[in-house]
Amino acid sequence: MDTATTPLPSASAGARDKSHSRTRPHTAGRRDYVTGILLLLCVVVLWTSSNFVTQDLFEDGYEKPFLVTYLNTSAFALYLLPYAFRKYCGNTDRKGVRRGRHNEGYEPLLTDADAAETLGATATESDIVDDHRLRPLTTRETAHLAALFCFLWFVANWTVNASLDYTSVASATILSSMSGFFTLAIGRVFRVESLTIVKIATVVTSFVGVVLVSLSDSSQPGSPDPPLPSTGMSHLPSMPIVGDALALFSALFYALYVTLLKVRIRSEERIDMQVFFGFVGLFNILACWPIGVILHLTGVEPFQLPSTSKAVMALLINMAITLSSDYIYVIAMLKTTPLVVTVGLSLTMPLAVMGDFLLGRPARPQVMVGAAVVILSFLALGLEDSRNVEEKDLLAGAPLDPEAEGADVYLEDEVTSSR
């Protein structure tokens, strides 16, 4: 009986395919980068809107940094509802797929020799490792990553809100904006950010712009630093050192969690972001409520429901903005880099200046200069990062290879499954 033979791919053909596959991701990477920048701009608009809403909430006398952070993060649990629905529908559809597999066409098995030759021609050891590193995360791995991210995200947001109860708004803003320095340093350690002169200069200039805006805002006549809230913190003395330390911790934890996500996830195609944020909200509800009880019993932040409909509406709007903006923000970070989104969030200041102008609050020249510096630094960083593959790292003396040994940090489940 005659058998049809199919020519096996040669080693040179495999090399051509591999070279061609490297060309396509470069074009797709540029497209993803532009998409990430557009998503980041959407986040800037949403976060600026949230700042105005939070400002109105605090002016209404309801200053509860822990409760606001807890409610915002808990809202992420709503993402588990569509996930549960999809899983239920998927189980129903999978039963029909299993019944239909018996009717699929017959595919002959390769002999041992053919299989060995095919594997040797088309797959190398590095290809197999890369496929393992880029495989989709399981639900268990996603939940494990969400548990760690929940802690870092909550601390980063809570500390910056709490710092406002001890120090001035200007000091808290300036110190929290130092996350750009931390992101560049931590990203270089994990080889997701190359250290170049342009990146260092853009981070410094962005910081200078934030300082100009913050100091000008704090020095305006008739706009003194906000007093301590009338509830919770009123019995505590003003401690600028504590407030500055909290703002600095916020910058550090912010840099940690954005870099952690980039290193662990690598590409948004590996993870279901709705499931990820759903677990973040669930873990926040289950693990963080004891902190609120301790704060209430110690009198640091007594639990109190909002007393006005305006405060309730502000809380709901803030939760809705956080629910959407943080989701978009993480996708933007995965499509770009942690440093780009960190510096890009400084654009909230120029946008806030524009918002004040539309509300009839003209800005001082120093504020306009600081806003322009922030915008120019972000544009320079975007141009630098878009050609990052051609730039040499100052420490390594060559372009960084993120696939180099020691550059990856694995989930415990991934390490176990690979063994």
Side-chain angles (χ1 to χ4, degrees):
M1 180 175 62
D2 296 334
T3 58
T5 59
T6 302
L8 295 174
S10 62
S12 59
R16 288 194 301 269
D17 291 340
K18 189 172 182 180
S19 176
H20 183 58
S21 66
R22 289 177 178 175
T23 304
R24 288 178 295 180
H26 182 69
T27 304
R30 289 295 181 90
R31 190 183 307 113
D32 287 343
Y33 187 85
V34 174
T35 303
I37 294 296
L38 295 177
L39 292 176
L40 178 60
L41 295 178
C42 293
V43 173
V44 170
V45 174
L46 291 173
W47 281 17
T48 304
S49 303
S50 177
N51 290 338
F52 281 104
V53 173
T54 304
Q55 185 181 40
D56 291 338
L57 180 64
F58 285 175
E59 289 177 354
D60 198 44
Y62 191 77
E63 296 191 22
K64 304 290 182 180
F66 171 82
L67 183 61
V68 171
T69 307
Y70 182 80
L71 291 177
N72 289 342
T73 315
S74 299
F76 291 145
L78 296 175
Y79 281 123
L80 289 180
L81 297 180
Y83 164 70
F85 179 77
R86 290 199 315 267
K87 187 174 182 180
Y88 171 77
C89 295
N91 291 336
T92 304
D93 295 339
R94 196 176 297 116
K95 294 178 181 178
V97 172
R98 289 174 179 173
R99 288 194 296 266
R101 285 180 178 176
H102 297 288
N103 298 326
E104 293 180 358
Y106 168 74
E107 295 183 2
L109 297 175
L110 292 175
T111 64
D112 292 341
D114 292 338
E117 183 178 356
T118 302
L119 290 175
T122 60
T124 63
E125 183 179 354
S126 61
D127 293 332
I128 297 175
V129 173
D130 289 340
D131 290 340
H132 173 72
R133 291 177 179 176
L134 298 178
R135 67 174 179 81
L137 297 180
T138 64
T139 302
R140 182 179 179 182
E141 293 168 349
T142 302
H144 181 269
L145 181 60
L148 183 56
F149 172 82
C150 174
F151 170 75
L152 296 176
W153 191 94
F154 189 88
V155 171
N157 286 270
W158 181 27
T159 50
V160 71
N161 290 332
S163 67
L164 299 176
D165 290 322
Y166 295 96
T167 187
S168 65
V169 176
S171 297
T173 304
I174 291 172
L175 292 174
S176 61
S177 68
M178 291 189 66
S179 56
F181 295 98
F182 291 122
T183 302
L184 183 59
I186 298 174
R188 176 57 183 83
V189 172
F190 289 103
R191 306 178 71 88
V192 296
E193 294 286 356
S194 58
L195 192 64
T196 64
I197 296 178
V198 175
K199 286 187 177 182
I200 296 176
T202 54
V203 170
V204 173
T205 53
S206 177
F207 179 75
V208 170
V210 172
V211 171
L212 289 176
V213 175
S214 301
L215 293 182
S216 176
D217 183 67
S218 63
S219 62
Q220 288 186 15
S223 300
D225 291 334
L228 292 175
S230 57
T231 58
M233 299 288 186
S234 57
H235 65 284
L236 295 178
S238 177
M239 293 181 288
I241 296 179
V242 175
D244 294 344
L246 289 173
L248 200 59
F249 270 114
S250 174
L252 176 60
F253 276 92
Y254 176 84
L256 282 173
Y257 85 68
V258 294
T259 307
L260 166 73
L261 289 181
K262 187 67 173 182
V263 172
R264 294 275 180 106
I265 300 177
R266 301 170 67 90
S267 172
E268 74 275 7
E269 298 177 355
R270 297 191 63 203
I271 191 171
D272 188 330
M273 295 306 301
Q274 287 189 352
V275 177
F276 172 75
F277 275 102
F279 278 118
V280 169
L282 179 62
F283 293 144
N284 176 83
I285 294 174
L286 297 177
C288 295
W289 66 266
I291 302 177
V293 174
I294 295 175
L295 294 178
H296 175 76
L297 295 177
T298 57
V300 175
E301 185 179 320
F303 177 77
Q304 179 185 4
L305 293 175
S307 57
T308 63
S309 58
K310 179 181 178 181
V312 174
M313 185 60 63
L315 283 176
L316 294 178
I317 293 176
N318 217 354
M319 290 172 62
I321 292 177
T322 303
L323 184 65
S324 57
S325 63
D326 283 53
Y327 180 91
I328 300 174
Y329 163 76
V330 173
I331 295 179
M333 184 272 298
L334 293 175
K335 288 182 177 294
T336 56
T337 66
L339 184 61
V340 168
V341 296
T342 301
V343 176
L345 290 181
S346 299
L347 295 176
T348 55
M349 283 199 163
L351 193 60
V353 171
M354 184 182 300
D356 286 336
F357 177 79
L358 295 177
L359 293 176
R361 308 170 189 167
R364 300 175 64 181
Q366 186 177 353
V367 176
M368 301 297 293
V369 172
V373 169
V374 171
I375 294 175
L376 291 177
S377 64
F378 176 73
L379 294 177
L381 178 61
L383 293 176
E384 165 73 4
D385 194 72
S386 63
R387 57 189 183 93
N388 186 43
V389 292
E390 303 174 3
E391 290 295 316
K392 293 183 178 180
D393 181 78
L394 293 179
L395 300 180
L400 286 183
D401 180 13
E403 307 297 336
E405 183 179 359
D408 295 295
V409 178
Y410 295 99
L411 292 168
E412 293 179 2
D413 295 332
E414 290 180 305
V415 176
T416 303
S417 60
S418 64
R419 293 177 181 174

